[in-house]
Amino acid sequence: ANINPGYEFDTFIRGEANQLAFAASMAVANNPGGTRYNPLVIYGNVGLGKTHLIQAIGNYSLEKFPELRVLYTSSERFTKEFVDAVQSDRINDFNNLYRSIDMLIIDDVQFFAGKERTQDSFFHTFNELRENGKQIILTCDRPPKELKDIDDRLLNRLQWGLTADIGAPDLEMRIAILRHKAIRDGFDISDEVLEFIASNVTTNIRELEGCLISLEETI
């Protein structure tokens, strides 16, 4: 499934900035293909937890429904595999693989921009999966309607289900993220230091956690 087993709902810090995305993800994980959230599109800036959340859906669903065929990939990898399939005259194998999946999770669909044949392939894959009641989960860095150089018919499909954003975490959420990571790493650190870091790193969770890692390594 190409999913990182460390990405779980239990380790995802929830807050006002991601409340809708988290609730929708839980609903999809409990009933893949059976909700109105198909596709589920989660968007937001880099480093806010989109990849963690969508892979948590896959991990949870696989645990609850072991027979489920789940595949996580990136738009870049999908594109590369499509190009390789065309060059090696194995496009039927490519289509059969992706259209046999029960839950298809694709990260960063904005990178489909300008790739007309890849978009066409994904469009038909999308249609077949959805018509057969399979779950589609996607991320991008902005609302789908703002994506550039994406075919209109594909943009239309991306807006059929639910579009949920993940915003920048507030101060309390940033402190909670740092505290959770410190406890997980067995790092004893004061609340004052956690608040200092959280007050100075305000937009990106990866950068926030990176500061804590750097601090751990220097002490």
Side-chain angles (χ1 to χ4, degrees):
N2 296 329
I3 295 177
N4 184 335
Y7 287 142
E8 298 179 336
F9 286 130
D10 288 345
T11 58
F12 186 83
I13 305 300
R14 287 164 281 173
E16 187 175 342
N18 57 35
Q19 184 175 0
L20 174 60
F22 182 87
S25 297
M26 283 295 298
V28 166
N30 277 294
N31 190 13
T35 72
R36 294 175 297 168
Y37 310 148
N38 198 13
L40 172 61
V41 181
I42 298 175
Y43 72 91
N45 289 329
V46 173
L48 296 181
K50 300 188 300 295
T51 297
H52 184 146
L53 194 53
I54 61 173
Q55 292 200 44
I57 298 174
N59 279 321
Y60 185 94
S61 294
L62 281 172
E63 184 176 344
K64 188 169 184 178
F65 311 104
E67 74 284 357
L68 211 65
R69 298 194 66 188
V70 177
L71 178 62
Y72 165 82
T73 190
S74 67
S75 60
E76 293 171 303
R77 181 171 178 174
F78 182 95
T79 300
K80 181 182 183 304
E81 290 179 357
F82 173 73
V83 171
D84 289 346
V86 171
Q87 291 178 340
S88 60
D89 195 26
R90 298 187 64 184
I91 194 64
N92 286 336
D93 293 338
F94 174 87
N95 289 336
N96 289 337
L97 168 65
Y98 276 94
R99 296 174 191 183
S100 67
I101 298 300
D102 297 312
M103 176 183 286
L104 179 60
I105 307 170
I106 300 185
D107 225 343
D108 294 324
V109 295
Q110 70 270 10
F111 291 119
F112 281 149
K115 302 177 177 70
E116 294 180 4
R117 291 192 63 187
T118 303
Q119 289 182 41
D120 184 67
S121 174
F122 178 61
F123 173 80
H124 292 293
T125 296
F126 181 105
N127 285 344
E128 184 156 339
L129 290 177
R130 195 172 186 277
E131 286 172 4
N132 290 318
K134 310 303 183 181
Q135 181 67 50
I136 303 164
I137 302 164
L138 310 167
T139 73
C140 51
D141 63 355
R142 68 202 73 179
K145 63 183 180 181
E146 295 180 8
L147 292 173
K148 306 296 183 183
D149 298 320
I150 300 290
D151 188 89
D152 286 343
R153 60 179 184 167
L154 181 53
L155 283 179
N156 178 263
R157 298 296 191 277
L158 298 184
Q159 298 174 77
W160 273 2
L162 176 70
T163 301
D165 73 310
I166 292 184
D170 57 25
L171 176 62
E172 290 80 8
M173 185 176 170
R174 295 196 301 273
I175 293 173
I177 291 169
L178 288 171
R179 183 178 291 120
H180 175 83
K181 179 168 177 54
I183 292 172
R184 187 182 62 193
D185 295 349
F187 183 41
D188 187 15
I189 185 171
S190 70
D191 288 342
E192 290 77 9
V193 174
L194 292 179
E195 184 170 348
F196 176 81
I197 297 172
S199 298
N200 286 277
V201 182
T202 60
T203 59
N204 190 307
I205 294 174
R206 289 180 194 167
E207 185 179 347
L208 193 67
E209 293 183 338
C211 288
L212 188 63
I213 291 171
S214 298
L215 189 59
E216 290 176 2
E217 292 177 348
T218 58
I219 294 178

